[in-house]
Amino acid sequence: MPKVRIFCDLDCTLIDSERRYEDEKQIAARLGVSRDDYEWAVDELYHRFGIARYSFTVLLEIIRERVPHVSSGLAEELMSLLDRNYFFPDSLNFLNQFRRRDLTLVTAGVIEVQLKKVETHGMKALMGDIVVTDSKPRAMGERKLDGRIHFFLDDAPREIEAVKRAHPDIVCIQMRIPPSWESQKYTNFADVCLPNLAAAAEYIKRRAART
């Protein structure tokens, strides 16, 4: 197989953040925050600050706009979920099919939160490079190599569009079904949409072999 470089998203591509979101809502409900209020607060956080400032401390402040007396322990309990393994069942098998040096994790969000997820899931032993960035197109542009076929895997259509606009030569794979908090579900900028990482591994190998 020709040389490849695979840029891979973390949340909702390798780890099941939708499942963690459900666990968050269960914790919140136990501490007196309804599912509706929790979902409203998450939507408000994204709307006001974007993913770059997503933290449970900021989320708690927004929740208190509706539930003023909620315990500060909520943020601590939510943070503890970052110690849990949320790998999709197909994630490790996918990563182990490629050389570590050919895999680059490209993720967005609060650095401390994303690096905690990286630590919990042992990503440093699996990926040759790990990047937490506010611009995936820029981070990937800085890491492209001559003579490589580049692939990008992400669940979010907005990220696929941003990367494809900046780097038309990168093969963009929209993964799985975007989570509930992603308002955009599809994009014509994706080279292909695939339901799981087993299909992605097969596609990458087939696409690389014919180049």
Side-chain angles (χ1 to χ4, degrees):
M1 185 173 70
K3 292 182 178 180
V4 300
R5 167 153 284 194
I6 301 169
F7 296 105
C8 197
D9 172 51
L10 181 61
D11 290 283
C12 299
T13 298
L14 292 174
I15 64 176
D16 191 347
S17 299
E18 187 92 67
R19 181 159 60 93
R20 191 187 65 243
Y21 186 40
E22 286 301 313
D23 290 344
E24 291 174 14
K25 286 186 278 191
Q26 289 183 20
I27 290 173
R30 178 164 50 78
L31 294 178
V33 180
S34 70
R35 291 176 68 90
D36 285 346
D37 284 341
Y38 191 83
E39 290 174 1
W40 169 83
V42 169
D43 288 344
E44 280 295 299
L45 194 159
Y46 277 120
H47 177 71
R48 296 180 195 179
F49 305 112
I51 195 170
R53 279 203 62 196
Y54 193 102
S55 75
F56 295 125
T57 301
V58 176
L59 182 62
L60 178 62
E61 294 174 1
I62 296 175
I63 288 172
R64 282 178 168 160
E65 295 176 16
R66 284 199 173 183
V67 191
H69 303 298
V70 65
S71 169
S72 59
L74 174 59
E76 296 172 7
E77 288 206 41
L78 294 174
M79 193 70 180
S80 72
L81 292 177
L82 299 181
D83 292 322
R84 296 188 189 178
N85 188 312
Y86 285 97
F87 262 143
F88 282 108
D90 55 3
S91 295
L92 281 174
N93 185 58
F94 171 82
L95 296 172
N96 288 329
Q97 291 187 59
F98 301 97
R99 297 182 302 183
R100 176 177 175 270
R101 67 189 182 194
D102 295 334
L103 294 165
T104 297
L105 184 71
V106 184
T107 182
V110 176
I111 291 176
E112 294 80 8
V113 172
Q114 295 307 100
L115 290 182
K116 181 61 179 174
K117 296 175 190 174
V118 165
E119 177 186 355
T120 296
H121 294 85
M123 299 304 301
K124 289 184 178 179
L126 298 165
M127 314 287 279
D129 193 11
I130 293 171
V131 187
V132 182
T133 179
D134 61 357
S135 172
K136 292 183 181 181
R138 184 183 68 243
M140 293 162 62
E142 293 169 350
R143 289 163 175 81
K144 288 173 66 179
L145 297 173
D146 291 339
R148 297 287 184 104
I149 307 167
H150 295 84
F151 295 88
F152 173 50
L153 284 67
D154 202 303
D155 64 287
R158 57 185 171 79
E159 296 285 16
I160 295 289
E161 289 185 3
V163 169
K164 198 66 173 181
R165 289 180 190 277
H167 308 288
D169 58 312
I170 292 180
V171 180
C172 291
I173 303 173
Q174 184 182 333
M175 291 302 309
R176 310 188 190 277
I177 298 173
S180 56
W181 54 85
E182 290 284 353
S183 57
Q184 184 181 355
K185 301 301 182 184
Y186 301 101
T187 175
N188 292 328
F189 282 78
D191 290 274
V192 66
C193 297
L194 296 174
N196 54 56
L197 289 169
E202 181 180 347
Y203 177 85
I204 290 169
K205 292 176 181 179
R206 187 171 65 248
R207 180 76 180 252
R210 71 171 192 251
T211 302

